[in-house]
Amino acid sequence: MATRPIDARDWIVEVEDSVSGTWLPIRGLNSLTINIAENRETAEITDFDSNGRYEQDTMQNGASLAVEGFYEQDPATGARDPGQAYVDMWADRLSVDSHNRLRYRHETQTAAWAVWDATVEPGEVGGGNNDKSSWSATFTRSGAPTTMAV
């Protein structure tokens, strides 16, 4: 059977509430970028025996996950989307408290979530005169990824 492209809209991203242990979906997303080469470091090992060919070793692996979407809020109560609100609160933490768990998967990946210990960098919120307000965040993995059953 031939492989087929998957729909970008079907990625699911959740953050773990570090107090309750509840996983909170981040709603309102319309863009997701996973960069498995973020913070990758290499060491050049080219020497005279390389016969003029570049050589390197990978010394460090990293990854990031960037999400963008709409700033979501209940029009009646003013309550924020719980996932977005948690990320905004998480982004203000420092030192060891700046770490939190994040998990993601495509809806067709029914066996396991990819799970990261990560830090988060908040993005800009805003828009123009006839726009809906934007919201974004970039998560940077700390340490090795793990998995969790769906």
Side-chain angles (χ1 to χ4, degrees), residues 24-87:
L24 306 170
I26 302 173
R27 306 270 188 221
L29 300 180
N30 58 23
S31 177
L32 175 136
T33 303
I34 302 166
N35 181 349
I36 59 171
E38 183 77 21
N39 296 316
R40 176 176 278 230
E41 296 289 338
T42 60
E44 181 181 349
I45 58 168
T46 307
D47 60 19
F48 292 165
D49 298 323
S50 300
N51 296 316
R53 302 290 179 190
Y54 177 82
E55 295 182 280
Q56 74 176 25
D57 285 343
T58 299
M59 302 302 291
Q60 170 182 296
N61 283 319
S64 68
L65 187 150
V67 293
E68 296 178 10
F70 297 112
Y71 186 97
E72 297 242 334
Q73 171 175 310
D74 185 305
T77 67
R80 290 286 315 285
D81 168 72
Q84 287 185 9
Y86 187 85
V87 170

Side-chain angles (χ1 to χ4, degrees), residues 28 30 68-73 80 84 124-136:
N30 58 23
E68 296 178 10
F70 297 112
Y71 186 97
E72 297 242 334
Q73 171 175 310
R80 290 286 315 285
Q84 287 185 9
E124 296 176 349
V125 173
N129 190 47
N130 293 316
D131 297 335
K132 295 293 186 180
S133 289
S134 63
W135 179 89
S136 62

